[in-house]
Every structure is written in structure tokens, then in C-alpha cells.
Amino acid sequence: MKTTHRRRKFLARSGVLAGFALTMIVYPAVGTIAPYAGAAETQTAEVVASGDTLSSRALIAGQSLESAQLPLPAVDGNSAALAVSTDYAASAYLPDCDPGVGAEGYNGRMTADSLCEIWNGVSLRNDAAVALAELNEAFKLEFGRDLCVGNGYRTLSAQYATKASRGFLAAAPGKSVHGWGLALDLCGSDDTGYAKAWLEANGRKWGWVNPSWAKSSKWEPWHWEYEPGTDEIGVYGSGYWSQNDPYFSNRG
């Protein structure tokens, strides 16, 4: 009888302890793990100032993010169209540039309204400029700063000076893609390493490429071109280099 009584007492106590364990340990643990896929998690990230705006690398401290859905930051929805369409829209990131006016002129002698200044005193053809502005915004999301651009459009006189100083590396004056405002040269900080790798992976989304010749016959990792523009003019067509002082206009 004593043995039976002790056994019942032991089982009763064991039941209480087991219930306590389920209540205090197992249920909270399961409740933490199972619904986590739909839970909201508070994230805090670095806020990087760029001029009067905040670079979009930032997530404001305390902002709630769905842990199962963390979309990448997006730039203007028109940006993808800028690289593939001849119907260009102005960019919120370069509001004073109107690509709708079209472009006109000779190589190295483009009309003033064909060009837009981006930053650092550099100008590009207006459609190339707005596409670069969109690309630059995505670059800022990743790096917290503007893309470092050394030069873009080159007048005819600047092309002669560049040919004299750089020889083989420079195109014949009057033929340079820079003379159409469709090429830029990156600063040394961005033509190598992670910045270059990022541009290789993302630049084409906005029409900007480091052309194949700049990776083979001439090694120019700094030289980037707006491909929709070079295709439009036919820069790499068989007849381009035989033309004398080619004229271009895509005005309506």
C-alpha cells in the first residue's frame, strides 16, 4: 500500500511538473518559431546624408519590415524604359533636363539643348543624362554617394587635345563617342573593385555599358557608353568610320 501511495504521489507531482514545463518552456518556444515567417521584425540601418537628401541605403530606425518579404529599394519606375525606348521621360533626379526635345548636331558640335549637365561639371546627351541620373540613384542606394564621373561630352577641340595627349587610346577627332555626348569616363575609384563589378551587373539596366572593345583591343575599364544612343547612330556599323563629319538628329 505504501509503495502504491508513493507511486501515485510521484506521478501526480510528475504531471504537475510536466504541465509547468509545457506552459513555461515548450509553448513559448514553439510560439516563437512557428509563426516567425509572418512576423514583423524591427530593423535599424545606417542613414547616409547626400546633399539635402538622404541616400536610400537608409532604413529609418524602428521601421517595421516583413521578415518574409524584404523588397530591394526601387528607383523611378520609368528608369527601365529609359534604356530601351526612344520615348524618353524626364527624371526626378535630373529635373532640369528634358530629353523630349531630342538631340541634334555634329560630333563635338552638338546643340546646347541636346546636352544636359549631370554633376561635377560633366555634360551628356539629354537622354543619356537622364538614364545616368536613374542609374546613379541606384548606385547611391548601394554606396551612399554619387558615381564618380571624370568627363563626358567632348567638343571637337577637346577631342584633338585628347588625341594629342593620349594617342592610341583616343578615338579620331570627330568620331569619338564622347563627341556625341554618349560616353563618360569614370574616376579611378569607380573603374575597379566592387564599384566596377556593381556597374557591370547593373549598368545595362539603364543602357550604360563598358563596351567589348574596352575589355580587349584597348583596356579602358573607365570608359562607359550609352548603348541605345550608339546603336541609334550606328557607331559600330561598317559605314560609320568611313563617313565624313557625320551629322545626327533625332528631333521629331
Side-chain angles (χ1 to χ4, degrees):
M1 292 291 292
K2 289 184 178 180
T3 302
T4 302
H5 179 71
R6 287 176 181 172
R7 185 176 300 166
R8 289 176 179 170
K9 196 172 184 179
F10 172 78
L11 291 174
R13 288 180 178 176
S14 299
V16 171
L17 291 174
F20 179 81
L22 286 171
T23 303
M24 301 303 294
I25 301 173
V26 178
Y27 291 160
V30 173
T32 300
I33 296 169
Y36 185 76
E41 181 181 10
T42 299
Q43 299 281 335
T44 303
E46 178 185 4
V47 178
V48 182
S50 177
D52 294 330
T53 62
L54 294 177
S55 91
S56 48
R57 177 188 291 198
L59 294 174
I60 306 303
Q63 181 180 1
S64 292
L65 301 175
E66 288 295 329
S67 60
Q69 297 179 348
L70 296 177
L72 292 175
V75 285
D76 192 301
N78 290 328
S79 59
L82 294 174
V84 297
S85 173
T86 55
D87 297 324
Y88 300 102
S91 169
Y93 307 113
L94 200 64
D96 295 330
C97 182
D98 181 7
V101 302
E104 188 173 36
Y106 292 87
N107 188 293
R109 290 168 288 167
M110 299 294 288
T111 60
D113 61 352
S114 298
L115 303 169
C116 292
E117 183 174 326
I118 48 170
W119 51 89
N120 199 28
V122 173
S123 294
L124 295 169
R125 203 176 86 175
N126 47 39
D127 54 337
V130 294
L132 186 70
E134 296 283 338
L135 169 60
N136 183 62
E137 187 64 18
F139 185 87
K140 286 167 68 175
L141 293 177
E142 186 69 20
F143 296 92
R145 60 174 176 81
D146 288 323
L147 185 65
C148 187
V149 180
N151 59 75
Y153 172 70
R154 286 183 190 150
T155 63
L156 189 60
S157 60
Q159 291 179 55
Y160 277 104
T162 302
K163 186 66 174 175
S165 63
R166 300 182 66 184
F168 168 74
L169 287 177
K175 301 291 186 179
S176 172
V177 180
H178 285 278
W180 299 116
L182 296 172
L184 60 83
D185 288 342
L186 299 173
C187 306
S189 60
D190 288 345
D191 66 12
T192 187
Y194 179 54
K196 174 65 164 26
W198 187 92
L199 287 169
E200 287 283 5
N202 296 280
R204 189 178 291 275
K205 297 174 187 176
W206 289 273
W208 284 95
V209 299
N210 181 221
S212 58
W213 63 260
K215 302 173 183 176
S216 55
S217 59
K218 295 181 182 181
W219 179 247
E220 296 190 18
W222 56 83
H223 180 91
W224 287 69
E225 296 178 355
Y226 184 57
E227 193 171 49
T230 58
D231 286 349
E232 187 178 21
I233 294 175
V235 169
Y236 296 108
S238 59
Y240 175 80
W241 295 94
S242 63
Q243 296 177 47
N244 182 33
D245 202 17
Y247 170 83
F248 170 80
S249 175
N250 69 354
R251 296 184 188 278

